[in-house]
Amino acid sequence: MNVIETEGLTRRYGERTVVDGVDLTVPEGAVHALLGPNGSGKTTTVRMLATLLRPTRGHARILGHDTVAEADRVRRRIGLVGQFHAIDPQLTGFENLTMFARLNGMSRRAARDHARELLDRFGLADAADRLAGTYSGGMRRRLDLLAGTVVRPAVLFLDEPTTGLDPRSRNEIYRHVEDFVREGTAVVLTTQYLDEAERLADTITILDEGRTVVTDTPERITSAIGVGLDVVVAAEHRDRTRNILAEIGAREMEVSETQDDSLRISVAMDEDPELLPILRALDAEGIDVHDIGRRRASLDEAFLALTGRPTERTGA
């Protein structure tokens, strides 16, 4: 069963088209990630699906309900965790969740009991009676997530939920999202972290300038753009190695340092490369190769190949 269906979803601001004819289908209990460079329309798409913006053209249905004509019915079944904290820093964690539960129609007693249960389940019981403004970034983000899901939604929208968090806090958020999905919640996720999309998403839509570039599984997206190759060389051979790899058809190159101060040059190639001719070409230039190996192209490389731009670390 598809819980989200859009057709030709479009949003314009004057002469500027921010989202241009996006079609999406998301089944029950699935995670669908929206990726794209800054300004690609990810957040605007989420805001239309969450009934916060009206489409200029096209339509969207959530659980069979039109997001414009039946916005109230849609809002009762969805949760939204935006890019910025929705919690009140002057209230305790317990008071924040009790307030959100009451706003969702729970009685005073049921709201208080449910708030305590959620705080205990998500590792915040010890901080329940502290002001939310004193929480760490990871704790505040978990509280945000609980506020958006205080009544378990059928569809959860997460707009860059882990931006600015340390790896441990990010992993805690991932585990909570995976719990929601196991219980049947469908998730639409926008993220600036491609490893996050690879871990969580069943399908990915890459947007660029408001248009859909591709919609597919992470595995199919990466396999469609070729294979990856890693070459480790001494730092002084960086430019010559890059030139040789470019001559044999390597695309998008990323250079990183290794623990022994060598350089790892990671490239994407259209076809599976034969390593022996590459080694011969490098050896002919006097370049000592410390290591070389094939790998599956990364989602970062696929993103760059499809949009012509690297990922960016700010909201979109």
Side-chain angles (χ1 to χ4, degrees), residues 139-312:
M139 293 170 66
R140 287 196 299 271
R141 209 57 179 136
R142 272 188 284 163
L143 190 61
D144 262 330
L145 187 58
L146 292 180
T149 58
V150 67
V151 174
R152 182 54 53 86
V155 181
L156 176 61
F157 297 103
L158 299 175
D159 193 8
E160 302 196 7
T162 63
T163 298
L165 296 185
D166 61 81
R168 180 178 178 180
S169 296
R170 288 175 62 196
N171 281 321
E172 288 177 345
I173 297 295
Y174 298 160
R175 287 194 293 271
H176 297 329
V177 173
E178 289 162 348
D179 286 343
F180 295 145
V181 172
R182 278 192 292 271
E183 295 173 11
T185 297
V187 175
V188 175
L189 166 76
T190 78
T191 179
Q192 57 184 292
Y193 302 113
L194 299 190
D195 60 325
E196 185 167 288
E198 285 194 285
R199 170 169 173 170
L200 295 175
D202 300 293
T203 54
I204 291 172
T205 292
I206 295 179
L207 300 173
D208 194 16
E209 296 183 347
R211 298 185 181 90
T212 299
V213 176
V214 65
T215 296
D216 215 327
T217 65
E219 294 79 11
R220 289 176 181 168
I221 290 174
T222 54
S223 64
I225 64 108
V227 296
L229 178 71
D230 288 338
V231 182
V232 180
V233 298
E236 63 265 26
H237 298 318
R238 168 180 176 152
D239 291 338
R240 284 193 295 157
T241 302
R242 284 169 57 92
N243 290 338
I244 290 170
L245 293 174
E247 289 173 2
I248 62 174
R251 296 182 281 106
E252 302 80 41
M253 300 190 191
E254 180 178 333
V255 180
S256 58
E257 293 185 359
T258 66
Q259 290 183 343
D260 61 358
D261 296 327
S262 299
L263 293 180
R264 181 182 304 277
I265 301 176
S266 302
V267 302
M269 305 186 72
D270 291 325
E271 298 180 358
D272 194 1
E274 293 188 19
L275 300 185
L276 186 56
I278 297 173
L279 285 169
R280 286 173 176 164
L282 293 169
D283 183 64
E285 290 293 321
I287 298 171
D288 182 24
V289 177
H290 299 180
D291 194 14
I292 187 170
R294 302 182 188 89
R295 57 175 170 73
R296 194 187 81 178
S298 69
L299 192 55
D300 288 85
E301 290 166 332
F303 186 97
L304 181 57
L306 292 167
T307 68
R309 286 177 276 177
T311 54
E312 292 151 323

Side-chain angles (χ1 to χ4, degrees), residues 50-118:
T51 76
L52 299 177
L53 284 176
R54 286 175 172 251
T56 305
R57 183 170 55 81
H59 66 269
R61 300 182 73 83
I62 308 291
L63 297 161
H65 302 302
D66 187 274
T67 57
V68 174
E70 302 173 278
D72 287 344
R73 300 187 70 175
V74 170
R75 289 170 189 152
R76 295 189 193 108
R77 303 297 306 279
I78 67 173
L80 171 64
V81 178
Q83 294 181 19
F84 305 102
H85 296 299
I87 57 176
D88 188 334
Q90 299 303 314
L91 298 178
T92 66
F94 171 71
E95 289 168 339
N96 268 284
L97 290 191
T98 300
M99 175 183 68
F100 277 99
R102 292 283 285 149
L103 290 172
N104 277 274
M106 288 189 179
S107 69
R108 185 182 301 275
R109 180 173 180 176
R112 292 172 64 87
D113 290 344
H114 191 51
R116 291 290 185 193
E117 176 189 346
L118 289 175

